[in-house]
């Protein structure tokens, strides 16, 4: 368990916090946010690598705020692995043991088990400078776990890897977490990590947490326009309700089930259905004109102008071809009220 209470870190050009965050025992938690929003600083505060200005950090019910990194019971893996280039794979893995209750038989047994589990036995005598990206990450993970930390901190460990290694290491994190039940706090830019690994996520903005929840909730029901933009809603439009009709900018839409006071409607581009003009789009069909098409290969991104509003949509390129959609062409838009999220 990691409990961060009222944490602030003041640096010359940046202020983190106040941040409150609890990662439950055995949870896999992802921190997401734009570059420079303070994700790494949170991780470094937990690891004891940065001076905390205010607040308290608990790891497994122990107040570790004033403790040096090696006494906090945390393991950390960085994006660039930060392995010691002058040491072999084996020496890198054993490195931390000397600072954690000395080199004892428990530590050696644990390292042997990790070497086995992470498929590193044939690499032990190799210099780490000769390893592939995926192999380096597995060594970094073994080194971080060698001291039996109660929590594992991962700072964008997949970002520098080729897509094929990324999938392999992501699977490794997933199985390791489910087998050991270790508490994991991971910084990532990648929404796939959030969806496939995390039980919960937090979105950071300018040193503050803007929303915490399951990946599904945060992606489908963002609490703020910032989170909506960040998770790729693309259509975040001023909205008001008049006589039971939702007026989104200049568009009249059927009212979604959500109630309460709202100022914005957020609609994911994949929830905007673009249909040929002749197609029966039903009562909700909104006439529009295609302003632009960007072909991304498998998908195409469309900007459609409807009643003076630019609505973003994505569709399969095959469907774009089939329907012979062209820039300037007339279309009908259909948006299911259930896919309109009010903020
Ligand atoms: N030791 C430091 N001294 C001064 N400023 C720092 C220090 N460490 C981080 N910062 C600044 O704090 C801000 C947040 O940095 P941080 O590395 O936490 O961002 P991040 O969200 O992890 O970004 P990225 O996704 O690009 O890694 C940045 O503006 C950074 O320049």
């Amino acid at each position: 368990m990691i409990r961060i209470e009222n944490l602030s870190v003041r640096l010359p050009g940046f202020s983190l916090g106040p941040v409150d965050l609890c990662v439950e025992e055995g949870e896999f938690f992802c921190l997401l946010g734009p570059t420079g929003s303070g994700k790494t600083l949170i991780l470094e505060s937990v690891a004891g690598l940065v001076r905390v200005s205010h607040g308290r950090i608990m790891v497994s019910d122990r107040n570790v705020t004033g403790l040096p990194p090696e006494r906090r019971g945390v393991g950390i893996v960085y994006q660039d692995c930060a392995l010691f280039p002058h040491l072999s794979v084996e020496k890198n893995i054993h490195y931390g043991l000397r600072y954690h209750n000395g080199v004892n038989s428990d530590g050696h047994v644990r390292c042997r088990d990790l070497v086995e589990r992470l498929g590193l036995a044939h690499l032990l005598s190799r210099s780490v400078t000769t390893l592939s990206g995926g192999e380096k990450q597995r060594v970094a993970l073994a080194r971080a776990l060698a001291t039996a930390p109660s929590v594992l901190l991962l700072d964008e460990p997949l970002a520098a890897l080729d897509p094929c290694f990324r999938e392999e290491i992501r699977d490794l994190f997933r199985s390791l977490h489910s087998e050991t039940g270790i508490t994991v706090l991971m910084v990532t830019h990648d929404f796939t990590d959030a969806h496939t690994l995390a039980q919960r996520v937090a979105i950071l903005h300018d040193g503050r947490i803007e929303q915490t929840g399951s990946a599904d909730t945060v992606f489908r029901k963002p609490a703020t326009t910032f989170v909506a933009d960040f998770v790729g809603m693309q259509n975040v439009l001023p909205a008001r309700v008049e006589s039971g009709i939702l007026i989104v900018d200049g568009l009249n839409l059927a009212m979604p089930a959500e109630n309460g006071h709202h100022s914005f409607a957020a609609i994911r581009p994949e929830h905007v259905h673009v249909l040929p003009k002749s197609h029966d789009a039903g009562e909700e069909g909104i006439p529009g004109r295609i302003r632009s098409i960007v072909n991304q290969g498998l998908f195409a991104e469309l900007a459609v102008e409807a009643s003076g509003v630019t609505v973003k949509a994505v569709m399969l390129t095959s469907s774009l071809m089939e329907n012979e959609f062209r820039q300037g062409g007339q279309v009908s838009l259909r948006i299911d009220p259930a896919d309109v999220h009010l903020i």
Side-chain angles (χ1 to χ4, degrees):
M1 184 270 282
I2 305 167
R3 186 182 295 281
I4 297 171
E5 295 170 355
N6 208 17
L7 171 73
S8 298
V9 177
R10 307 247 178 277
L11 295 167
F14 185 79
S15 270
L16 175 76
V19 167
D20 286 280
L21 178 70
C22 183
V23 182
E24 302 293 346
E25 187 69 35
E27 188 174 26
F28 201 121
F29 194 104
C30 279
L31 281 176
L32 293 148
T35 181
S37 56
K39 304 180 294 294
T40 297
L41 279 176
I42 293 186
L43 228 57
E44 290 178 340
S45 303
V46 176
L49 301 170
V50 73
R51 233 172 75 101
V52 165
S53 312
H54 195 262
R56 195 163 79 133
I57 295 167
M58 310 282 293
V59 171
S60 303
D61 287 328
R62 239 171 17 114
N63 183 352
V64 299
T65 321
L67 296 183
E70 66 277 10
R71 292 188 46 213
R72 293 190 172 211
V74 305
I76 188 160
V77 177
Y78 295 98
Q79 174 179 338
D80 62 0
C81 304
L83 297 173
F84 303 114
H86 58 294
L87 298 180
S88 66
V89 167
E90 184 169 28
K91 289 197 166 128
N92 263 279
I93 295 172
H94 285 80
Y95 188 83
L97 292 180
R98 69 186 77 172
Y99 300 106
H100 292 258
N101 307 323
V103 184
N104 55 29
S105 61
D106 276 3
H108 281 299
V109 170
R110 197 163 45 246
C111 285
R112 258 204 309 278
D113 180 49
L114 283 165
V115 163
E116 189 70 29
R117 189 195 288 254
L118 298 175
L120 295 169
H122 64 296
L123 298 172
L124 285 178
S125 58
R126 286 262 294 271
S127 155
V128 292
T129 55
T130 65
L131 302 179
S132 71
E135 288 166 345
K136 280 184 187 157
Q137 274 303 358
R138 285 188 278 138
V139 175
L141 190 56
R143 186 180 63 178
L145 293 171
T147 55
S150 55
V151 307
L152 181 61
L153 307 175
L154 304 173
D155 192 0
E156 301 207 44
L158 306 172
L161 298 179
D162 285 345
C164 57
F165 285 137
R166 204 174 297 156
E167 202 45 53
E168 174 198 316
I169 301 292
R170 194 182 279 129
D171 280 350
L172 188 65
F173 286 149
R174 198 180 10 238
S175 54
L176 207 89
H177 175 251
S178 71
E179 283 163 29
T180 62
I182 191 168
T183 306
V184 184
L185 178 58
M186 175 175 179
V187 165
T188 181
H189 270 110
D190 190 334
F191 292 165
T192 312
D193 294 342
H195 282 296
T196 57
L197 293 170
Q199 279 138 336
R200 285 188 307 144
V201 305
I203 310 289
L204 241 85
H205 177 207
D206 219 1
R208 304 275 192 107
I209 291 180
E210 191 111 353
Q211 186 173 3
T212 303
S214 71
D216 196 49
T217 303
V218 170
F219 280 77
R220 293 178 65 89
K221 302 212 177 291
T224 65
T225 53
F226 170 81
V227 177
D229 267 341
F230 181 74
V231 301
M233 287 301 244
Q234 290 197 23
N235 300 294
V236 182
L237 302 162
R240 64 182 198 278
V241 177
E242 268 179 30
S243 318
I245 303 250
L246 177 67
I247 303 176
V248 177
D249 235 346
L251 299 176
N252 292 358
L253 299 181
M255 188 62 194
E258 295 176 35
N259 282 314
H261 180 76
H262 305 290
S263 307
F264 290 91
I267 307 160
R268 296 200 70 86
E270 63 271 28
H271 290 152
V272 176
H273 303 285
V274 184
L275 305 165
K277 190 163 189 295
S278 57
H279 194 283
D280 175 16
E283 283 174 23
E284 269 70 71
I286 303 162
R289 194 177 63 84
I290 299 177
R291 271 186 45 186
S292 66
I293 300 175
V294 178
N295 190 332
Q296 298 280 17
L298 184 56
F299 293 97
E301 297 173 352
L302 283 74
V304 177
E305 185 152 335
S307 304
V309 181
T310 301
V311 182
K312 307 275 184 55
V314 287
M315 65 193 309
L316 283 171
T317 304
S318 55
S319 177
L320 182 87
M321 303 294 181
E322 242 167 61
N323 287 294
E324 297 180 351
F325 288 144
R326 300 268 180 277
Q327 189 176 341
Q330 303 290 325
V331 290
S332 271
L333 299 183
R334 199 185 66 216
I335 300 167
D336 186 335
D339 292 329
V340 179
H341 171 62
L342 298 179
I343 298 173

